[in-house]
């Protein structure tokens, strides 16, 4: 677990990436959620928000694939839908295409 404190959204995003990489999906999601609500002096807020939503979708998708249930399916669908909405103005973006693909095939 990461122990240093910061109120920057970008640091929260990085903490989430570390937790996800070490198999701590629940902790990762908590950091991604914090990244959505905090300010950042390091990186553009929109970039952080988009990244947090993308990585949130990946964690939920992985959880659904490893533990399929109505609940994990709903979390994954919601996460992919949130990501799709964020990129809806840019349908050629790889993340929009991935969200579309995941929503079409996995559920």
């Amino acid at each position: 677990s990461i122990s240093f404190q910061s109120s920057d959204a970008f640091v929260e995003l990085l903490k989430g990436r570390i937790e996800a990489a070490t198999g701590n999906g629940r902790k990762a999601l908590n950091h991604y959620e914090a990244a959505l609500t905090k300010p950042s002096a390091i990186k553009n807020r929109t970039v952080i928000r988009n990244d947090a939503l993308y990585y949130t979708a990946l964690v939920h998708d992985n959880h659904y694939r490893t533990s399929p249930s109505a609940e994990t399916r709903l979390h994954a669908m919601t996460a992919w839908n949130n990501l799709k909405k964020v990129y809806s103005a840019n349908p050629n973006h790889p993340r929009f295409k991935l969200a579309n693909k995941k929503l079409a095939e996995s559920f």
Side-chain angles (χ1 to χ4, degrees):
S1 185
I2 296 92
S3 61
F4 70 92
Q5 298 298 311
S6 174
S7 59
D8 196 283
F10 185 63
V11 173
E12 290 292 347
L13 183 71
L14 294 178
K15 287 180 177 180
R17 298 280 289 133
I18 292 166
E19 293 293 0
T22 56
N24 297 319
R26 181 61 42 211
K27 285 183 181 179
L29 291 174
N30 290 338
H31 287 297
Y32 297 150
E33 196 171 306
L36 292 172
T37 61
K38 293 183 177 183
S40 180
I42 301 170
K43 201 168 188 179
N44 178 289
R45 287 285 310 129
T46 302
V47 171
I48 294 169
R49 182 199 67 203
N50 293 356
D51 285 352
L53 291 173
Y54 172 67
Y55 294 124
T56 295
L58 292 178
V59 169
H60 281 301
D61 189 71
N62 184 52
H63 192 210
Y64 172 64
R65 284 187 282 111
T66 57
S67 303
S69 72
E71 184 183 7
T72 58
R73 178 181 179 271
L74 179 62
H75 287 304
M77 282 182 59
T78 301
W80 287 120
N81 264 318
N82 289 341
L83 187 69
K84 186 178 170 180
K85 276 185 222 158
V86 165
Y87 286 96
S88 62
N90 189 1
N92 288 322
H93 195 285
R95 288 181 178 176
F96 179 88
K97 290 179 176 181
L98 178 62
N100 234 4
K101 181 178 177 238
K102 290 288 187 176
L103 289 165
E105 77 186 16
S106 301
F107 312 103

